[in-house]
Amino acid sequence: MPATPDLAAPRTDTGGGDLLRSVFRRHAAGVSVITACGDAGPVGFTATSLTSVSAEPPLLSFGIGTGSSSWPTVSGAEYVGVHLLGEHQRELAATFARSGADRFGAPTAWREGPEGVPVLDGVLAWLVCRVVGRVPAGDHRIVLAEVLRGEPAGAGSPLLYHEGRFTGLRD
C-alpha cells in the first residue's frame, strides 16, 4: 500500500531561480527608480533591491541585470540617481519596469539634476550618488554608490512591490 502524504508537513522545494522568485514574491519591498545619463541620453529602471549599506561613508547598493537595457549606461556611469516612489506613482513604476517603454517621455516629469543625473519629480525622496563599485553577482551586478546630495522631504506614503504587483502600506 502506498504511503499517504503528510499534508501537515511543510512543503520544501529544491533551490534554484524559480524557488528564489517564489519566495521573494512574498517579500514586500520598497520601489525605487534608478537613473543615469549616458551618450545616448537618460536611462532608468525600476528596482526593489535598494539597500542602505553604510552610514560612514554613506553608501547604498542596488542590483541590475546585465541584460537590462539600462546596464550599458549604468556600467560606465560615474553618477546615478536614486528615487523612492510613493503610492501615487504606480504608473511611473510600471513605465520604468516595462521593456521598450519611453521612460522619459510624457507623462514622466523630470529634470537634469546635480552631476547631470536625471531627477524625477514628485518622488518621496531622491539622491544623487557617485558609483564606487560594481560587483559581479550571477546575471546581475551589485552597484555600490556613495550618497552625495538629495532631497528627503517628498509627500506621501511609500510604494511597495508584493506578490507581483505594486501596492501601498495597509494598517
Side-chain angles (χ1 to χ4, degrees):
M1 178 179 257
T4 303
D6 182 359
L7 299 178
R11 179 179 156 224
T12 58
D13 291 325
T14 58
D18 289 340
L19 175 60
L20 180 69
R21 282 185 286 278
S22 293
V23 168
F24 271 84
R25 284 178 62 88
R26 309 282 310 205
H27 175 69
V31 180
S32 60
V33 167
I34 309 298
T35 61
C37 198
D39 294 337
V43 300
F45 63 97
T46 300
T48 57
S49 60
L50 183 65
T51 304
S52 171
V53 173
S54 169
E56 289 302 326
L59 297 174
L60 58 79
S61 71
F62 60 86
I64 180 172
T66 56
S68 161
S69 62
S70 296
W71 172 243
T73 298
V74 173
S75 72
E78 187 174 354
Y79 300 97
V80 294
V82 176
H83 308 81
L84 303 184
L85 301 190
E87 268 189 287
H88 62 284
Q89 295 177 305
R90 286 183 171 104
E91 285 304 313
L92 183 67
T95 296
F96 276 84
R98 193 170 24 259
S99 180
D102 181 4
R103 297 172 179 162
F104 290 91
T108 302
W110 66 283
R111 66 191 181 284
E112 184 177 310
E115 309 301 340
V117 171
V119 173
L120 302 175
D121 293 341
V123 296
L124 295 185
W126 60 266
L127 298 166
V128 170
C129 305
R130 182 177 59 85
V131 175
V132 297
R134 295 173 185 87
V135 180
D139 62 355
H140 278 61
R141 295 296 180 269
I142 305 301
V143 177
L144 294 166
E146 180 179 13
V147 174
L148 301 176
R149 301 176 173 195
E151 174 56 56
S157 296
L159 182 62
L160 302 177
Y161 188 73
H162 181 250
E163 292 288 343
R165 64 186 180 89
F166 298 115
T167 188
L169 291 175
R170 302 292 175 251
D171 291 334

